[in-house]
């Protein structure tokens, strides 16, 4: 077994715990290691307890795991609460000026750093303490400080860099006098420039841009807000419109207006905001407007756990809004896939003139993952049957012309000679409201026919199937649990078990045929989900008749680990 | 130039005879024709209610949206393609009940669009319930003992929200309605027009308004004076319904949302390539 270290950084909100974990993670990635880091924070601005669990390994890990191998405690509360969890001999770095009443556990390798005093001496803000602590951790681990400094240099303006770098160096030098024993050190394995450390939200935003999104409207809601923040930050260089609206209702409708006008448009939110968007989602379906919605799940019901993770909105996403209309629901597992699927969502939306939901969760959206750098040149843009220039007939332009595919060639308002009428009421081919039974039936069938095309377009990439061709156990799942499931599967294989993993990338239209193939001769089937009721398992039964033999469910707001999967299957960890 | 006749459609009109919507339809067609707009460069956004059928009666681009959402839809269209002339039509239920949350923000953003509210002070399509402009004490199907809630004053409210063009018209004075609509369409920014109109079936107010309305422009009103506009906006309440001003209460020139977003000026979003180069942005994640 290679190097695999779980570093817990803890402090109060406002201590820069997120940033510290990010800097540390990136320093490791620049040294060729693989990082996945989970930021755990309550819904507070200041105070409270912020934790950043940075897992670093020399093998390809993509999920958090249990246990603490190293602790960076920015106050006594963290030191007292988590010091005891550190494995024997593990490093405990703490601010000795801010830990009154708490002691590092006797069996740990203690690294007291007078970080508050150093910050004061430097005349700097208190938040720079975390740089001293990071430096000390790297000194203890014997890691290359320059990698951390290079990250700081990229992240901070020069004057901020100077004070942080000085404190990191001071911490490093102090700790390096007593480095950890050989077996506990972390060494760079050589740079690998083809990889990035990125969150799911950032990857969704970048994928959307690569896919040509030029308009984003959203109302702030955790944990989807970082998409809005990122896009707002780059709107000028990207040349896109970003509007923070008065509500999620306004957001989904404004994006629909922009999409009708011919711009690739999206909105993003979490469950509560998505609830408000539901009528607007149906409007996009009824009016056949291409629209992309990023749905970043968090635990409900209602306000729920705003800053934690969940996969509780699957059945809601595929059924939301009254009536029957086609939609697509895509579920990336990591930031790399999130990038490509977010771009592809706009192709599906435009080709079939439907709403497309990209469903993620807080864990994928806000955790940092080490992935291959997405390649924008792999993104293709297909706008579907779009009429450009001038309408030349024959006859008058019909926005909802009945066709075999169900897709009506789409003119944009402003096309000379074409009058483009969209209608949320049932309508005829022109777009005039019409209520006669023949029209209602024909239009319903026309819209639903498009789903056949969507299914065809997504065939071959709706499922990820990996592992044994003749399994005794098959794990099914979707979204961000992939890393944990793969890790559990690897453990089982080490024990001689034949294991397959079937992951649903496309949740709607449900890939029934592919699922039936992948789940025939599957052995025992377990569904692994971050929800309480096994929604994928229920959907699978509804669409294919296939029942699972067991479920592994976690619904406490925390991401699933491979230990959870093994435990849930009744296996040893 | 497109004629008034060419702006009509063959769709059978199902408004009640005598409905105030006919005047709004007629006046709007006249203004589009008079302004020399090409039909394909005009987009009409309509809400839910009797007024919402107006899109079917116009040979113009249209989007019949869901209840109360005319403003965000119109805003999205205009931001995507500023070459389009975007006009929203809403009812008083649409605009002042379910959709009022969008109104202050449309005023703040000052996107260059026109918002016409068919204000007949009653829900017509759903057969006669009270709306936020229904007078206190009026009996409707949903208020059989009289509305217990004070009506809102849309002109005063929209003035307070900071709109750059605030006007009222009366469907019983077609020529004046046309003048007001034309000024609204010519205004660069968010133009708000509340149209007093009867619901011939559920609340016939023709006679009431005809006896009380007067034109602001005939009364020496200076539409650049916000305080005076606000005083006139309250005149109906203050005089116990004796005098009801119509015309332009207030108009001011202020930068639009797009003026304040320089990266969106120039090439409209709809004309930009559907692909953003993210190679440089991705570099920052290494």
């Amino acid at each position: 077994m290679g190097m695999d270290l779980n570093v817990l950084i803890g402090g109060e909100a406002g201590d820069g715990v997120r940033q510290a974990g990010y800097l540390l993670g990136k320093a490791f990635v620049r040294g060729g290691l693989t990082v996945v880091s989970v930021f755990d924070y309550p819904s507070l601005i200041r105070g409270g307890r912020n934790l950043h669990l940075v897992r670093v390994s020399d093998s390809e890990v993509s999920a958090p795991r249990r246990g603490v191998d190293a602790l960076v405690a920015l106050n006594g509360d963290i030191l007292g609460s988590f010091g005891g969890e550190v494995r024997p001999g593990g490093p405990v770095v703490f601010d000795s000026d801010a830990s009154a009443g708490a002691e590092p556990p006797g069996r740990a390798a203690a690294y007291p750093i007078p970080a508050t005093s150093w910050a004061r001496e430097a005349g700097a803000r208190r938040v720079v303490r975390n740089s001293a602590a990071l430096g000390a951790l790297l000194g203890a681990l014997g890691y290359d400080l320059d990698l951390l400094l290079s990250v700081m240099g990229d992240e901070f303006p020069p004057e901020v860099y100077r004070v942080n770098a000085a404190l990191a160096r001071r911490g490093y030098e102090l700790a390096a006098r007593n480095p950890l024993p050989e077996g506990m050190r972390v060494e760079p394995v050589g740079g690998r420039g083809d990889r990035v450390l990125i969150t799911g939200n950032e990857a969704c935003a970048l994928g959307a841009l690569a896919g040509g999104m030029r308009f984003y409207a959203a109302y702030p809601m955790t944990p989807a807000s970082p998409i809005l923040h990122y896009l707002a930050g780059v709107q000028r260089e990207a040349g896109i419109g970003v509007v923070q609206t008065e509500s999620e209702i306004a957001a989904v409708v404004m994006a629909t207006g922009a999409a009708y006008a011919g711009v690739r448009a999206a909105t993003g939110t979490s469950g509560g905001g998505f609830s408000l968007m539901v009528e607007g989602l149906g409007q996009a379906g009824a009016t056949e407007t291409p629209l992309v919605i990023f749905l970043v799940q968090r635990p409900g019901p209602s306000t729920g756990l705003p800053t934690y993770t969940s996969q509780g909105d699957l059945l809601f996403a595929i059924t939301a809004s009254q009536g029957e209309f086609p939609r697509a629901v895509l579920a990336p597992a990591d930031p790399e896939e999130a990038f490509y699927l977010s771009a592809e969502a706009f192709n599906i939306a435009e080709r079939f003139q439907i709403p497309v939901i990209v469903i993620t969760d807080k864990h994928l959206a806000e955790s940092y993952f080490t992935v291959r750098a997405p390649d924008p040149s792999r993104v293709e843009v297909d706008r579907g049957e779009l009429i450009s220039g001038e309408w030349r007939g024959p006859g008058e332009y019909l926005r909802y012309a009945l066709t075999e595919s169900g897709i009506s060639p789409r003119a944009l308002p402003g096309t000379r000679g074409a009058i483009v009428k969209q209608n949320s009421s049932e309508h005829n081919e022109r777009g005039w409201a019409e209520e006669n039974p023949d029209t209602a039936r024909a239009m319903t069938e026309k819209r639903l026919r498009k789903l056949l095309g969507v299914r065809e377009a997504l065939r071959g990439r709706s499922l990820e199937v990996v592992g044994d061709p003749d399994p005794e156990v098959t794990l099914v799942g979707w979204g961000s649990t992939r890393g944990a499931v793969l890790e559990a599967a690897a453990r089982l294989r080490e024990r001689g078990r034949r294991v397959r993993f079937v992951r649903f990338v496309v949740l709607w239209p449900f890939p029934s045929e592919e699922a039936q193939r992948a789940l025939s001769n599957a052995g025992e089937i377990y569904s692994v989900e971050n929800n309480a009721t096994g929604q994928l398992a229920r959907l699978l039964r509804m669409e294919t008749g296939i029942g699972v033999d067991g479920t592994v469910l976690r619904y406490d707001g925390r991401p699933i680990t491979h230990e959870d999967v093994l435990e849930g299957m009744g296996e040893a960890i | 130039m497109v004629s008034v006749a060419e702006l009509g459609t063959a769709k059978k009109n199902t408004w009640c005879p005598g409905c105030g919507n006919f005047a709004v339809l007629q006046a709007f067609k006249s203004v589009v024709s008079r302004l020399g707009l090409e039909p394909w460069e005009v987009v009409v956004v309509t809400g839910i209610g009797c007024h919402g059928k107006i899109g079917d009666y116009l040979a113009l681009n249209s989007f019949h949206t869901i209840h109360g959402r005319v403003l965000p839809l119109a805003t999205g269209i205009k931001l995507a393609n500023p070459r389009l002339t975007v006009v929203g039509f809403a009812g008083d239920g649409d605009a002042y009940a379910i959709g009022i949350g969008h109104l202050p923000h449309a005023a703040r953003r000052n996107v260059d669009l026109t918002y016409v509210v068919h204000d007949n002070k009653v829900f017509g399509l759903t057969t006669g319930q009270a709306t936020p402009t229904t007078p206190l004490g009026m009996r409707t199907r949903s208020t059989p003992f009289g509305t217990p809630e004070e009506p809102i004053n849309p002109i005063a409210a929209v003035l307070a929200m900071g709109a750059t063009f605030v006007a009222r018209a009366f469907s019983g004075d077609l020529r004046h309605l046309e003048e007001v609509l034309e000024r609204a369409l010519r205004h660069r920014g968010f133009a708000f027009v509340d149209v007093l109109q009867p619901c011939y079936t559920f609340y016939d107010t023709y006679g009431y308004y005809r006896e009380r309305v007067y034109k602001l422009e005939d009364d020496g009103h200076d539409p650049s004076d916000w305080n005076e506009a606000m005083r006139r906006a309250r005149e109906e309440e203050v005089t116990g319904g004796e005098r009801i001003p119509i015309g332009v209460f207030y108009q001011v020139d202020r930068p639009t949302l797009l003026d304040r977003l320089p990266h969106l000026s120039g090439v409209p979003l709809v004309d930009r390539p559907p692909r953003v180069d993210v190679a440089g942005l991705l570099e920052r994640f290494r």
Side-chain angles (χ1 to χ4, degrees), chain A residues 312-380:
Chain A
D313 298 340
L314 166 56
L315 294 176
F316 181 37
I318 66 168
T319 57
S321 209
Q322 73 273 22
E324 298 160 301
F325 60 91
R327 77 187 77 193
V329 180
L330 312 176
D334 62 27
E336 186 183 9
E337 191 173 51
F339 178 89
Y340 295 113
L341 275 186
S342 296
E344 181 62 11
F346 290 89
N347 290 338
I348 299 295
E350 284 213 307
R351 284 176 61 194
F352 300 99
Q353 303 173 30
I354 58 169
V356 177
I357 297 165
V358 177
I359 189 168
T360 65
D361 56 46
K362 185 269 175 185
H363 173 47
L364 168 56
E366 293 204 326
S367 299
Y368 294 93
F369 297 85
T370 312
V371 295
R372 265 177 307 190
D375 177 4
S377 71
R378 272 181 53 196
V379 171
E380 282 173 22

Side-chain angles (χ1 to χ4, degrees), chain A residues 6 12 18 43 85 98-99 101 105 107 178 203 215 340 352 383 496 502 505 510 512 528 545 547:
Chain A
N6 244 355
E12 277 185 24
R18 176 202 290 272
S43 191
E85 293 189 20
S99 301
R107 61 208 176 111
N178 300 297
F215 188 81
Y340 295 113
F352 300 99
R383 302 204 64 186
V502 176
V505 181
F510 196 78
S512 304
V528 180

